[in-house]
Amino acid sequence: MATSAQIKANRQNAQKSSGPTTDAGRETVSHNSTKHGLTGSFTLNTDADHAKFMELCKRLIENLNATTALEGNLILKMTESLWRSERAVMLQDECIDKLSFDDESVHADARKNLELYMRYQ
């Protein structure tokens, strides 16, 4: 059980830590718990990823001759699915590379993650 002095100190310290105060800071911390980006709402990590994603989406729209808003929405969902699938393959490759290490704790973690990424892919 915390003493009254500890409770008072905790309350005073809590006043100092108010979290991010700018929109950019809030956006940054909203990704703190992201582990692999294969589940949850679709997000892109960098501007470079955004440019590549938009290029892929544009190519699909052109190749599939999308003309309606519905077709555009379906192609966007298809692009997101392809993007996640490619990300899962990339993460699988990283796990396979880690299996060449001599450290058994790295092997155990890599095997566990490899199974997870294969399931998502």
Side-chain angles (χ1 to χ4, degrees):
M1 189 72 172
T3 67
S4 60
Q6 289 173 323
I7 292 171
K8 182 180 177 183
N10 287 341
R11 288 183 179 152
Q12 288 174 341
N13 286 335
Q15 297 303 312
K16 297 176 188 174
S17 112
S18 60
T21 56
T22 65
D23 288 341
R26 288 185 197 101
E27 174 64 22
T28 299
V29 301
S30 72
H31 301 289
N32 281 352
S33 67
T34 301
K35 304 289 187 250
H36 43 65
L38 299 175
T39 60
S41 61
F42 184 80
T43 58
L44 297 165
N45 298 332
T46 64
D47 290 338
D49 281 350
H50 186 267
K52 290 177 187 175
F53 178 82
M54 293 308 295
E55 179 60 31
L56 175 61
C57 193
K58 181 182 169 189
R59 284 196 325 257
L60 286 172
I61 289 171
E62 290 170 356
N63 289 337
L64 297 172
N65 298 319
T67 55
T68 67
L70 175 61
E71 290 172 341
N73 285 336
L74 292 172
I75 288 174
L76 178 62
K77 290 294 183 186
M78 186 186 327
T79 308
E80 290 175 0
S81 179
L82 286 168
W83 190 266
R84 286 182 180 184
S85 179
E86 289 176 6
R87 177 151 176 74
V89 169
M90 180 192 70
L91 292 169
Q92 289 172 33
D93 290 344
E94 289 177 10
C95 289
I96 291 168
D97 288 343
K98 288 179 181 178
L99 291 174
S100 66
F101 294 177
D102 289 335
D103 187 348
E104 184 53 39
S105 65
V106 172
H107 285 197
D109 190 45
R111 282 192 296 272
K112 180 185 89 173
N113 287 333
L114 182 59
E115 291 174 13
L116 175 73
Y117 301 147
M118 289 174 71
R119 184 171 61 239
Y120 286 133
Q121 195 257 333

